[in-house]
Amino acid sequence: MSTISTEEQTAMCESFARLLAEKSGEAQVRDAMETELGYDAALWTSMADMGLLGVLVDPAHGGIGGGAVLLEALLEEAGKHLLCSPFISTSVIAANLVAASDDDCLKEEILGAICTGEMIFAVAATGDKGLWTTEDIDLRAETVGDDWVVDGSASFVLHAKGAHQFLLLAQTTDGLRALVADAEQDGMALDPMQANDPALRLSRLQCSGVNARLLTGVDEADIDSALNLARIAQAAEHAGGVKRIFDITIEYLQTRHQFGRQIGSYQSLKHMAADMLVEVESAASAARHAARAWDAGADDTQTLVSLAAFAGADAYRDVTAQAIQLHGGIAYTWEHPAHLFWRRARTGLWLFGSSDQHRETYLASLENA
Amino acid sequence: MMALEKPDSDEQLAADVNAWLDANWDDARRCEKGADKLDVRSWLTKLLESGYAVPTWSPEWFGLGLGSKQGRIIDRILKARNVIGRSQDRYNLGAVTVYRLGSPELKQELLRDMLTGSFSCLLYSEPNAGSDLAGVRTKAEWQAGPDGGEYVITGQKVWTSNATEATYGMLLARSDWDVPKHSGITFFIFPMKQPGVEIRPINQITGESEFNEIFISEARVPARYIVGERNGGWKVLQTALAYERLIMGEGATERQGKEKGAEPPLIQLARKHGKLQDPVLRQKMAQAIAYRQLNALNMQRAKAEILANGSSSLMSLGKLAMSRIQHGEARVAADILGAASLLHGKDHPDSADMNFDSAKAYMNSIGGGSDQIQRNIISERVLGLPREFEVDRNMPFRDVKSG
């Protein structure tokens, strides 16, 4: 599926890691958290310059034509550095759904602008319950003459502030469909939802008579598939983040002394560390195998995506929680980075479906007939 | 002994092996009874002389000097044709230990016998030396005599499988009580068939009896049957254990591979008992099945890493992960069965299976190093965390508290 070589992919991940080390250190993440946008626009431009924003976009539209495996590897790096950005909404969900459309003009217009970093997408894909299921979507789209008009509301809208376009999932007489709408128009009312993770930008969206363009040729299966890709991307961020906070914790166990010895020599802490390692490695294995299955179009893609989604989210939640506990008082301070990972982990538990939902989907996918 | 020429290519090797088997191995005879019954020892002798029993060993010691990749090619062919005695350079623990760590004289004396049907059992654990294996108290006392003399062995060993069939025991015994515990242990190849060796089967909580206790009372082992140095047994043991883990790890990844594609047994059990739609049970089933699949994915990654780099730290996670899998699956199975899980016996086969599995799960979580020891190993060897202070580490063993 991917048109670029393994060596090029490795090189790309390495340069992304270097960029993040330089531009997405802890201090910069804290700065980005305080901004209105919630991310560093200059870093976004650098990512565009490296071709990262078009990782999934076909070279014909200015992208690099990578697949889920490359996306996964890149987002492990992003997760390690707690990258704040509208990457998943823009370069994963919107890019994937627009590319799935048969409207060549629209693709031409949007995909190129995604690659250059000039077009940032907000994604409205769930209702007030935040279930990310078809039934949960409260936006409705209908045709008025030749045009599409969207009404209703959406919650947990990702990166609405500063977005140029909205990707809207809406109910239609033909079932669930995806549409794009200009951010700058009347009838689009945004209400920020304050998040526990200060890096996360969520909004409630109220649409009344919003003009939108239907992504023709995109059906419910394509939408499921795009959300699955977002789940792989998020699982990769989890895998990277959980590895990083784990490494930080192990280093602390080796350097912190109490009662005249390294605290990492106490079995009660060592045993926690060993159990955490199983979770850390399982999260990575699950995310990577899900990405591979996606690229191969394997029969068990849904099984592996759901597994990666809940295994990654639960591992991140549990390991970050244990990391704070193992650090003791120092990690109870705002200045210590552990809580940044902990907050990010709690974000991932709910975006694109909960672990319980993913477990249900996983089990259903394993049942014969 | 007959030394075969090194093959030019893997294809040539496979062709050579198959041609040799065509001429020498008759799979049908394996199951014959009476006059046509296969004489295992003469077959193993023939296999040994072909070099295919231990192909990665040096030609001086029954091998062909091949690499591990070519060894695996031969293993696959022998396995596919049901050949008895394949890959003893990996699976015959006693012979591997003698080959790797024994003196040339010991190899000369024992290897041929060990590779032609005289197998070995393990005499490591004792009632008071389980997780703390360096605390063995079986006595080895030297007595003068020809050929370096001999050792008189007295003590008790436990958790030995295949003890009645074994010709040799890989024995860990205390040869010096006045030095710290790791420094006074000697590793012997101990002849099992002699007076003073009593084997008693252990009845397990599963109802099975796979293991034995071995009571050793003034039994003898020649001094020349020491592997490595006298009092250097701990080091030998570490190498022997590493081979053992390697075999167990390979077995685990092979077993994992077979399960792909089939509907997980917990789903089948829930359907059979009308519980497949219970939302609480569905969550539990999903989690239990996920742990197994995650471990399989980790082991696939481990395999890929071993192929690429020769080793993988992921391998050491498999055993610990397996404990959670096995105990967890048995627990969910009990939840699916409900009150019927109280029942047992042949009239209640699903409950009986679940009860068996829930007991059998301890085989993994205690046997071969308990989960707690496994966590120590992972945190020390993989994560580099320091060892916990050990009270008895530098104390003469005579003064160490036991019980």
Side-chain angles (χ1 to χ4, degrees), chain A residues 270-281:
Chain A
K270 284 160 80 171
H271 288 194
M272 285 168 77
D275 287 333
M276 288 158 76
L277 180 64
V278 175
E279 305 303 331
V280 169
E281 296 295 0

Side-chain angles (χ1 to χ4, degrees), chain A residues 19 71 80 148 353:
Chain A
L19 175 71
L71 174 72
K80 282 181 198 166
W148 283 85

Side-chain angles (χ1 to χ4, degrees), chain A residues 246 250 253-254 261-262 264-267 270-271 273-275 277-279 281-282 284-286 288-289 300 303-304 307 310-311 314 356 359-360 362-364 366-368, chain B residues 260-261 263-264 267 271 276-277 282-283 285-287 289-291 293-294 297-298 300-301 314 317 320-321 324 372 375-376 378-380 382-389:
Chain A
F246 180 71
I250 295 304
L253 294 179
Q254 284 164 330
R261 57 195 253 209
Q262 290 154 282
S265 66
Y266 290 101
Q267 284 194 346
K270 284 160 80 171
H271 288 194
D275 287 333
L277 180 64
V278 175
E279 305 303 331
E281 296 295 0
S282 299
S285 296
R288 292 172 196 176
H289 278 89
D300 57 353
T303 303
L304 286 164
L307 177 66
F310 72 81
D314 292 354
D356 284 356
R359 261 187 290 274
E360 172 53 41
Y362 172 72
L363 193 78
L366 290 169
E367 287 173 46
N368 289 347
Chain B
K260 200 172 186 269
E263 192 179 44
I267 293 180
R271 182 182 295 117
L276 190 52
Q277 301 315 321
R282 289 180 70 80
Q283 287 288 313
M285 282 189 270
Q287 192 63 57
I289 296 164
Y291 283 145
Q293 187 169 15
L294 288 169
L297 298 180
N298 280 341
Q300 276 183 42
R301 253 178 80 207
L314 285 166
L317 302 181
L320 180 61
R324 174 167 74 174
Q372 287 64 37
R375 289 186 178 97
N376 283 351
I378 292 166
S379 55
E380 287 161 17
V382 181
L383 300 175
L385 294 177
R387 291 181 68 90
E388 192 154 23
F389 176 70

Side-chain angles (χ1 to χ4, degrees), chain A residues 33-57:
Chain A
M33 281 170 11
E34 300 299 324
T35 62
E36 198 183 358
L37 283 179
Y39 60 88
D40 173 2
L43 176 54
W44 184 253
T45 306
S46 303
M47 286 168 65
D49 293 343
M50 286 178 60
L52 298 171
L53 302 185
V55 57
L56 299 173
V57 175

Side-chain angles (χ1 to χ4, degrees), chain B residues 127-149:
Chain B
N128 282 323
S131 293
D132 181 15
L133 199 51
V136 291
R137 308 183 86 83
T138 292
K139 265 189 280 188
E141 285 176 321
W142 183 71
Q143 263 183 10
D147 229 1

Side-chain angles (χ1 to χ4, degrees), chain A residues 68 71 92-93 96 221-235 290 294 301-306 308-309 352 358 361:
Chain A
L71 174 72
V92 180
I93 300 176
N96 179 259
D222 296 317
I223 292 169
D224 278 345
S225 179
L227 289 176
N228 271 346
L229 198 57
R231 290 177 187 120
I232 293 174
Q234 187 170 259
W294 169 278
T301 302
Q302 185 60 58
T303 303
L304 286 164
V305 169
S306 296
F352 315 122
H358 297 312
T361 310

